[in-house]
Each structure stands twice: as structure tokens, then as C-alpha cells.
Amino acid sequence: KNEVEQSPQNLTAQEGEFITINCSYSVGISALHWLQQHPGGGIVSLFMLSSGKKKHGRLIATINIQEKHSSLHITASHPRDSAVYICAVIRETSGSRLTFGEGTQLTVNP
Amino acid sequence: NAGVTQTPKFQVLKTGQSMTLQCAQDMNHNSMYWYRQDPGMGLRLIYYSASEGTTDKGEVPNGYNVSRLNKREFSLRLESAAPSQTSVYFCASRGGLFGQPQHFGDGTRLSIL
């Protein structure tokens, strides 16, 4: 079993829908990252969380340390949100190294 | 504002050939990383360098070598390429403070025939 599991693997939505992507992990962590991989392949960091909730524009990320679970929400989704969303954790014992989930492919149709 | 620059972007090799993937960052970051990304699997760490002059193995180091040439540059070498090394390779860098994100290059798509 992977240490970082994401669900769903694939998600198709209509423009304007509220989207949730989930990430569960099985190890102790010091922080969790959400990243976005564009169709062209580039990867950008969206959030780093160690507790609570963060918001940036239409994106909201939450984490529950006790339940070892994080969610990424997208409000009022748009076709330009179509990308792969990747959850990654920094294990307590790994310094700055990231352990990645497999990613969630999101497609938002107009 | 280049960030992390990888070269080349695409490469096709024959089995047994050698090749070096180049990575340079202009953000004065201490830490640099090499990952590979394969279908159905998350990004996996090949090697990393916590600071200039140091390198350490990641999850999948076999078949690769690295050089941290200076603070800016971190290269990945395939001495004798194998078809199993067909992948997309990403270089990343990170500043020293906790909480700083990793910055990724655009990737190198490598095919080994």
C-alpha cells in the first residue's frame, strides 16, 4: 500500500462545479503539499500545510492531522483548472524530501 | 526569471548509450532534487543534494549518478541507458527555510529504445 493515496484517480466535472480531491497518508508528517501539473508537464506548488486550512483564490486546502487526511477544493471550476493535482508529504524523518501520491487527473468541461 | 532550467527537453537514446541531464537554478537554493515520473506511479526521488558538495540516494538510485557541480547546477547521468529508464525526469530546488516549496523544472522526456 502506498504511503500517500489520492482519490479519485480521475475526475470529470462541468464548468462551475465544486470539486474535491482527497489525500490520505499513513505516516507521520511534518507538512503536506498540494501541487498542480499542467497539461504541458510543468509542476507548480499550490499549498503547503501543516495544520488547518489555506485559501488562495478559488482553491482551498484543508488538513486533519489526527485523521491523516487532506482535501483540495476548487470552487466555481473552470476549464483552465484541468490538470493533474498531486498530494505530497514531508515525512517526519525525511528532512525536506517529498513522498508523492499518484495524482488526480481533473478535466473540467465547458 | 528562469527558476529551474532543465536541458534537454526531449531525448531519444539507444540501449547502452550514456547521457547527462542538466539542471540549473538561479534562486540561490541549497537543496536540489532529481525525480522520475512514470505512468501510474507518483514522482519518485532518484537523488538529492541538501547542499553544495553533498549528494544522497533517494528511492530509485540504481543506474544513475549525480554531480552537484556548484550551488546552481545538479546533473544526472545515465552511464548505460536501459529501456526501464524511459521516463520523464524532473529537477527541483528548494530554499533552506522550513515551509519553502520545491520549484520544479519543466521536465526532460527521455525515451530509450
Side-chain angles (χ1 to χ4, degrees):
Chain A
K1 188 175 188 294
N2 292 339
E3 292 179 341
V4 181
E5 298 273 356
Q6 289 185 234
S7 64
Q9 287 187 317
N10 294 281
L11 180 56
T12 300
Q14 290 299 120
E15 185 172 357
E17 286 184 358
F18 180 84
I19 288 163
T20 296
I21 299 170
N22 295 300
C23 176
S24 296
Y25 52 92
S26 58
V27 295
I29 68 168
S30 55
L32 181 144
H33 290 256
W34 283 102
L35 306 109
Q36 181 191 54
Q37 185 168 22
H38 299 293
I43 300 172
V44 295
S45 180
L46 297 174
F47 295 104
M48 195 204 78
L49 295 162
S50 52
S51 65
K53 175 179 174 178
K54 286 190 175 179
K55 184 176 189 289
H56 181 70
R58 295 179 295 104
L59 301 177
I60 303 166
T62 64
I63 189 167
N64 185 318
I65 296 293
Q66 287 73 29
E67 294 186 4
K68 292 190 163 75
H69 182 268
S70 176
S71 293
L72 177 68
H73 306 285
I74 305 175
T75 62
S77 60
H78 189 277
R80 66 175 175 266
D81 297 324
S82 297
V84 176
Y85 292 84
I86 302 169
C87 173
V89 302
I90 300 176
R91 288 184 281 170
E92 287 172 328
T93 55
S94 70
S96 65
R97 289 172 287 164
L98 294 172
T99 300
F100 295 84
E102 291 182 24
T104 295
Q105 173 70 63
L106 172 65
T107 302
V108 182
N109 293 318
Chain B
N1 193 13
V4 179
T5 303
Q6 289 183 236
T7 54
K9 294 192 185 307
F10 302 94
Q11 186 70 47
V12 179
L13 294 177
K14 294 181 180 178
T15 297
Q17 287 185 315
S18 62
M19 149 140 221
T20 299
L21 307 186
Q22 307 286 353
C23 175
Q25 51 91 9
D26 62 1
M27 296 171 282
N28 201 36
H29 285 170
N30 289 322
S31 301
M32 297 186 73
Y33 310 83
W34 275 107
Y35 298 98
R36 60 178 289 172
Q37 186 177 40
D38 301 293
M41 307 186 77
L43 286 148
R44 293 181 292 168
L45 182 65
I46 305 170
Y47 271 94
Y48 68 102
S49 171
S51 62
E52 185 179 355
T54 68
T55 61
D56 285 289
K57 295 178 181 179
E59 299 172 65
V60 288
N62 291 345
Y64 305 95
N65 286 302
V66 290
S67 296
R68 183 75 183 265
L69 303 169
N70 47 55
K71 193 169 187 179
R72 290 187 65 248
E73 298 172 287
F74 189 39
S75 62
L76 178 72
R77 183 160 177 85
L78 288 70
E79 290 290 353
S80 179
S84 61
Q85 294 176 305
T86 294
S87 189
V88 181
Y89 292 84
F90 287 94
C91 177
S93 70
R94 194 184 75 90
L97 297 176
F98 179 78
Q100 296 301 308
Q102 291 188 18
H103 296 258
F104 288 81
D106 289 336
T108 295
R109 192 171 296 271
L110 181 62
S111 293
I112 298 157
L113 307 176

